[in-house]
Amino acid sequence: MNPDSLLRPSYIAYFRDFSGLRSPFWIAALVLSVLFHAYVVWQASRYTPEPPDAEEVRVDVRMIEPPPPPPPPPPPPQVVVPPPPAPPPPKPVPKPPKEVPRQPPPPILAAPPAPAAPAERVVPVQPEPVPLPPIDTPPPPPAPPAPPPQVAAPPVPAAPVEDLNALIDGFGRDLLRAFEASKVYPRVAQMRNIEGKLKLRLFFENGELVNVVVIEGSGNKLLDDAAIADGRKLKSLVMPGRLTRESFTREWWVNYTLK
């Protein structure tokens, strides 16, 4: 066997002959192959995969302040334990009574004999009394002189009877004047331009003001409450003597008007 055939096979000699590659066809094929591969590599470098269609998701992020920590629980109430009551003082032990020696019973004496019944007393016969001489009776005293005729005293004029209705009317006029003098227009009602008219009734018993009510309101609670408060100020008003024993009512209209 030829040793050169082992080192250099027959196909080596074929590839060493480049005469077939020198034809224009192979040169053009080689250039086109190089250009095609270059184009493929260039397109691969520019390829960007499109993302899949997906709905737009918006997330609203808000900063939520953590709730304030709960206040600490109040301390438990301090329980004051009262001191135990002092033990009662020991009761004194009574001393045993002294033994008194028994005395022998006294001897039973016999009852004395009953005294004998007294003898019947003999009363001597008395003589008849001698009549006394008559006593001269003094003459009767002279009769006192007759008193002078009494002159009748002039009749005392009766006290005039007070007219109750006239007293109540006069006192009512004093009440109205005192009420108007102390009436206060509510400040809030003035600021809001609130006006009104109401009817007030006052109840008196035994000389004292016992109640104040609104019998026809003004339609506004501020004015009604102010009128009641002003009516209660009339407790200090002094009444005539007879009215302190009577029960009556007085009422009038109250106007709240902005000037």
Side-chain angles (χ1 to χ4, degrees):
M1 179 181 292
N2 189 4
D4 293 334
S5 61
L6 296 174
L7 298 175
R8 293 180 181 179
S10 58
Y11 62 85
I12 295 297
Y14 172 79
F15 283 106
R16 292 188 63 176
D17 187 8
F18 294 99
S19 61
L21 298 175
R22 295 176 184 175
S23 63
F25 175 76
W26 288 105
I27 292 173
L30 180 62
V31 172
L32 291 175
S33 176
V34 171
L35 292 176
F36 177 76
H37 285 84
Y39 176 75
V40 170
V41 172
W42 178 68
Q43 287 293 337
S45 64
R46 292 180 61 221
Y47 175 74
T48 302
E50 295 183 359
D53 295 337
E55 296 181 358
E56 183 178 1
V57 179
R58 294 184 180 181
V59 180
D60 190 6
V61 180
R62 297 182 181 179
M63 301 298 293
I64 300 177
E65 296 183 0
Q78 187 176 2
V79 180
V80 179
V81 180
K91 296 182 180 181
V93 179
K95 295 181 180 181
K98 296 181 179 180
E99 294 184 359
V100 179
R102 293 184 178 181
Q103 296 182 357
I108 299 174
L109 302 177
E120 186 178 356
R121 185 177 180 182
V122 177
V123 179
V125 177
Q126 297 293 335
E128 295 181 0
V130 178
L132 296 175
I135 299 174
D136 296 334
T137 59
Q150 296 182 356
V151 179
V156 179
V161 179
E162 295 178 335
D163 188 357
L164 181 61
N165 294 329
L167 289 176
I168 293 177
D169 292 340
F171 181 68
R173 289 189 291 270
D174 296 341
L175 281 175
L176 183 57
R177 283 192 294 269
F179 178 83
E180 292 294 337
S182 62
K183 184 175 71 174
V184 178
Y185 205 118
R187 182 62 178 173
V188 178
Q190 292 181 0
M191 295 173 62
R192 298 179 181 176
N193 296 329
I194 298 175
E195 297 181 348
K197 181 180 179 181
L198 58 97
K199 195 169 187 179
L200 201 66
R201 178 176 291 174
L202 285 73
F203 294 85
F204 293 89
E205 290 184 4
N206 298 327
E208 293 184 0
L209 177 63
V210 295
N211 196 8
V212 180
V213 297
V214 174
I215 57 177
E216 292 187 23
S218 63
N220 188 278
K221 190 174 184 300
L222 289 174
L223 301 181
D224 294 349
D225 292 345
I228 292 175
D230 293 337
R232 290 174 179 171
K233 297 177 184 178
L234 303 177
K235 287 186 176 181
S236 59
L237 201 63
V238 181
M239 295 186 184
R242 183 178 176 184
L243 293 183
T244 57
R245 302 184 300 273
E246 301 292 339
S247 298
F248 59 94
T249 61
R250 297 300 299 172
E251 57 188 39
W252 56 74
W253 288 96
V254 182
N255 293 320
Y256 287 95
T257 306
L258 294 173
K259 297 180 181 179

